[in-house]
Amino acid sequence: GENVEQHPSTLSVQEGDSAVIKCTYSDSASNYFPWYKQELGKRPQLIIDIRSNVGEKKDQRIAVTLNKTAKHFSLHITETQPEDSAVYFCAARQSAPAVANTGNQFYFGTGTSLTVIP
Amino acid sequence: EAEVAQSPRYKITEKSQAVAFWCDPISGHATLYWYRQILGQGPELLVQFQDESVVDDSQLPKDRFSAERLKGVDSTLKIQPAELGDSAMYLCASSLGSLSYNEQFFGPGTRLTVL
């Protein structure tokens, strides 16, 4: 199965600085890579995603880059704000399987606890 | 905005007791997932449904866990008997389908504490 590794496990930055979180995956069949933000006591929410046919995607202060050759993808947050403080999870998923009624699960990283210091 | 609903939000039980969690996915979502999230870790899939069929339960401890989605809508996850190591957050999620890029929406979770 797929193995997703995420680093660092904790990250502290000053408000206004940038934050970078990196993930690696093992299965070249994975083709979809979402990032989730989970605030304390709340549900994970999708913040950005990227498909394998794209190398970079940006949404305001958040960007994700993907290197298929090296099997790694990264989340970049610029101009960080205190409300960016949360746990961030990366994930990887393969295409819907060719065989009916078999799964294609999301494999999650272990999370990065980001603290933005005012 | 439609959301995935779960109940209860919190459950405290003693070991060897039975517990059940309920999930109501977003209307029209064919794919439903149950995850277990241990504090400090990412969600780990327990079971994935496509409509009423189980398509992946390879990580479900079947000696004590069971899941059903009888009419292809809401779903129940049961643990019997509960063990101390089952203490965790149980998250339900749903997506429109099983295409890799179908967005997955999470419910608020049920936090289980086994004493």
Side-chain angles (χ1 to χ4, degrees):
Chain A
E2 174 66 275
N3 181 43
V4 177
E5 295 189 354
Q6 183 171 346
H7 300 280
S9 57
T10 60
L11 179 60
S12 291
V13 299
Q14 291 289 330
E15 182 177 358
D17 288 350
S18 296
V20 180
I21 303 170
K22 299 182 179 181
C23 287
T24 61
Y25 62 100
S26 61
D27 194 336
S28 57
S30 291
N31 67 352
Y32 175 64
F33 307 93
W35 285 89
Y36 295 88
K37 176 183 180 182
Q38 187 174 27
E39 297 177 58
L40 191 64
K42 296 189 176 180
R43 69 189 78 192
Q45 290 194 307
L46 179 72
I47 55 170
I48 196 166
D49 56 12
I50 191 166
R51 303 187 195 184
S52 60
N53 59 347
V54 176
E56 183 174 357
K57 183 177 178 181
K58 190 173 181 181
D59 183 5
Q60 299 183 330
R61 297 186 296 109
I62 296 173
V64 57
T65 58
L66 171 65
N67 183 326
K68 286 192 297 182
T69 304
K71 296 195 187 71
H72 67 71
F73 55 112
S74 300
L75 177 70
H76 304 254
I77 306 174
T78 58
E79 301 171 23
T80 53
Q81 301 168 2
E83 51 265 38
D84 294 329
S85 296
V87 178
Y88 292 80
F89 293 98
C90 63
R93 193 186 197 192
Q94 299 177 12
S95 299
V99 178
N101 290 336
T102 57
N104 59 330
Q105 64 170 288
F106 288 85
Y107 291 89
F108 286 84
T110 50
T112 296
S113 178
L114 173 65
T115 301
V116 179
I117 304 165
Chain B
E1 183 176 307
E3 292 187 332
V4 176
Q6 286 188 252
S7 67
R9 294 291 309 277
Y10 304 91
K11 179 69 178 179
I12 300 174
T13 191
E14 294 185 345
K15 63 179 182 179
S16 79
Q17 296 297 304
V19 292
F21 312 134
W22 177 79
C23 172
D24 191 13
I26 293 172
S27 178
H29 280 195
T31 310
L32 185 146
Y33 316 79
W34 281 102
Y35 291 95
R36 176 169 56 189
Q37 185 178 24
I38 296 170
L39 195 63
Q41 298 183 19
E44 180 184 37
L45 183 73
L46 292 173
V47 61
Q48 178 180 342
F49 288 92
Q50 185 66 27
D51 299 309
E52 68 278 6
S53 300
V54 173
V55 295
D56 189 344
D57 62 355
S58 56
Q59 295 171 96
L60 187 72
K62 298 182 189 64
D63 57 334
R64 298 186 300 108
F65 286 64
S66 64
E68 60 183 18
R69 192 184 184 200
L70 293 175
K71 297 182 179 179
V73 181
D74 58 337
S75 175
T76 301
L77 178 70
K78 296 179 181 177
I79 308 175
Q80 183 174 18
E83 296 181 353
L84 296 177
D86 295 332
S87 294
M89 175 74 82
Y90 290 83
L91 291 164
C92 178
S94 71
S95 62
L96 197 59
S98 59
L99 293 175
S100 62
Y101 50 83
N102 283 148
E103 184 176 348
Q104 181 178 215
F105 296 84
F106 284 89
T110 296
R111 181 163 295 283
L112 173 67
T113 302
V114 182
L115 303 175

